[in-house]
Amino acid sequence: AQSVSQHNHHVILSEAASLELGCNYSYGGTVNLFWYVQYPGQHLQLLLKYFSGDPLVKGIKGFEAEFIKSKFSFNLRKPSVQWSDTAEYFCAVNREYGNKLVFGAGTILRVKS
Amino acid sequence: NAGVTQTPKFQVLKTGQSMTLQCAQDMNHNSMYWYRQDPGMGLRLIYYSASEGTTDKGEVPNGYNVSRLNKREFSLRLESAAPSQTSVYFCASRRDRGLNEQFFGPGTRLTVL
């Protein structure tokens, strides 16, 4: 069965620090990749998505992610985090044209001001 | 355009009670989903509906039933609630099987005593 692994469950950073959250998936075929964010008390919102083309994807709020097919990875990055980035981040994968999205366990990011 | 809406926002049940969680979307999406979110486990798919009139089991369907009432509405029913069903429930929708992301509702926080 397809699975998604997020490397860190909790990350604490100071403002202006750089962020990288790891995500690996197990499916060997063509996949669609997503990062969602859940701010405290809110529903999930899409940060960015990858379907095809340039493996470096830019999303909202200065986030970006790089798809490395050979490593089955889709890591999320931000050069300089802000206190308002405090949230839980989820990586998700589905097979190309598939109907089921498989989520990682999530990474809780806390940014200290 | 409200997106995906869910009712109720909060619910407390006693073991053995039944209830239905309601979800509606106004984006004319074909696919709808029900997830549960538990700490450290990400979101897990309970049931989904690829189109009006069809439903399929996801990863954790036991103890739940669903109804795709029409294209807009997708309800989740707990026939006999158990404490293990204490969770936050999210409904989502997606336009079709193509290259689209899922849009999430605000969630229902359910506690079963």
Side-chain angles (χ1 to χ4, degrees), chain B residues 12-28:
Chain B
V12 179
L13 293 177
K14 294 181 180 178
T15 297
Q17 289 185 316
S18 62
M19 80 160 295
T20 300
L21 308 185
Q22 305 287 353
C23 173
Q25 51 90 12
D26 61 2
M27 296 176 283
N28 201 35

Side-chain angles (χ1 to χ4, degrees), chain B residues 4-79:
Chain B
V4 181
T5 57
Q6 292 183 234
T7 55
K9 290 186 177 178
F10 301 94
Q11 184 71 49
V12 179
L13 293 177
K14 294 181 180 178
T15 297
Q17 289 185 316
S18 62
M19 80 160 295
T20 300
L21 308 185
Q22 305 287 353
C23 173
Q25 51 90 12
D26 61 2
M27 296 176 283
N28 201 35
H29 286 173
N30 291 318
S31 300
M32 297 185 73
Y33 307 82
W34 275 106
Y35 294 90
R36 59 177 291 172
Q37 182 184 23
D38 301 292
M41 302 187 75
L43 276 77
R44 292 180 293 168
L45 183 64
I46 304 171
Y47 271 93
Y48 69 100
S49 170
S51 62
E52 186 178 351
T54 68
T55 61
D56 285 288
K57 295 179 180 179
E59 183 184 353
V60 288
N62 291 344
Y64 305 95
N65 284 302
V66 290
S67 294
R68 184 74 183 268
L69 305 170
N70 47 55
K71 191 170 186 178
R72 288 188 65 249
E73 299 171 290
F74 188 40
S75 63
L76 178 72
R77 183 161 178 83
L78 287 72
E79 290 291 350

Side-chain angles (χ1 to χ4, degrees), chain A residues 10 12 20 27 31 39 53 70-71 82 88 95 104-105 109:
Chain A
H10 283 94
I12 301 174
E20 180 159 1
Y27 181 63
V31 294
Y39 297 104
S70 61
K71 294 186 178 180
Q82 300 171 313
E88 189 163 13
R95 300 181 183 188
L109 171 66

Side-chain angles (χ1 to χ4, degrees), chain A residues 6-22 35-41 47 60-63 76-91 105-113, chain B residues 37:
Chain A
Q6 292 185 236
H7 305 164
N8 307 97
H9 191 54
H10 283 94
V11 173
I12 301 174
L13 295 173
S14 298
E15 276 194 307
S18 64
L19 170 72
E20 180 159 1
L21 301 182
W35 276 97
Y36 282 86
V37 61
Q38 186 178 30
Y39 297 104
L47 264 184
I60 61 171
K61 303 185 180 185
F63 286 90
L76 181 70
R77 300 194 292 247
K78 186 171 184 178
S80 176
V81 295
Q82 300 171 313
W83 177 81
S84 58
D85 293 324
T86 293
E88 189 163 13
Y89 294 80
F90 294 95
C91 180
T107 297
I108 297 171
L109 171 66
R110 186 165 80 88
V111 180
K112 299 184 295 184
S113 57
Chain B
Q37 182 184 23

